[in-house]
Amino acid sequence: MLGKRDFTPNRAVETWLQFVENCEEGYEDSLAEYRNELSFRRFLQAVIGDPQVQQASDAQWFIAEVAAIDARFSSLLEDGFQVTGSWGWWERRIPRVGSGVFAIDVRDAYGVDMEPI
């Protein structure tokens, strides 16, 4: 299994995009797994904020790609509901749509019913 240090910029963007696409299709895994996968965005934020990364030749491409995927993810998130104690904007809200175990876990944890996909 690859560690976060093994990610190239392309691989990191692909990983974030794949997670967002899973959410667009209606995330199905558990809430714990969702949080685990979502933690990758925190890693991306640390990379983007690193002064050495900002000086890299492909930094602007990387930052723009992450921002475009962020916009897609943000459009999926519930407007009225806020997860307390969260670190980044991507953790403070949950997707409006989901299915399977994820929808059940969200209802049990937060009392929020998700739109079915």
Side-chain angles (χ1 to χ4, degrees):
M1 181 170 177
L2 291 174
K4 289 179 182 171
R5 291 178 186 247
D6 298 321
F7 276 95
T8 64
N10 284 337
R11 180 87 182 216
V13 165
E14 289 171 8
T15 298
W16 181 227
L17 178 59
Q18 186 175 45
F19 172 75
V20 171
E21 287 173 343
N22 286 342
C23 291
E24 287 172 336
E25 294 168 3
Y27 196 84
E28 297 178 328
D29 285 334
S30 70
L31 180 58
E33 185 61 25
Y34 170 83
R35 288 179 182 148
N36 181 51
E37 290 187 61
L38 185 61
S39 72
F40 187 74
R41 181 56 183 81
R42 189 180 292 194
F43 165 73
L44 291 176
Q45 191 63 36
V47 170
I48 289 168
D50 185 296
Q52 288 183 318
V53 170
Q54 293 172 1
Q55 300 302 316
S57 61
D58 57 355
Q60 291 309 309
W61 168 86
F62 180 76
I63 293 167
E65 288 294 312
V66 171
I69 300 166
D70 283 352
R72 285 175 66 175
F73 186 63
S74 181
S75 73
L76 300 172
L77 302 178
E78 179 68 46
D79 289 329
F81 178 75
Q82 293 281 322
V83 176
T84 57
S86 298
W87 185 80
W89 65 265
W90 55 89
E91 297 172 317
R92 288 188 209 117
R93 299 182 295 155
I94 56 170
R96 285 185 306 279
V97 298
S99 61
V101 174
F102 184 60
I104 293 166
D105 286 354
V106 167
R107 186 186 62 230
D108 291 349
Y110 304 119
V112 174
D113 287 320
M114 304 183 91
E115 295 174 23
I117 259 302

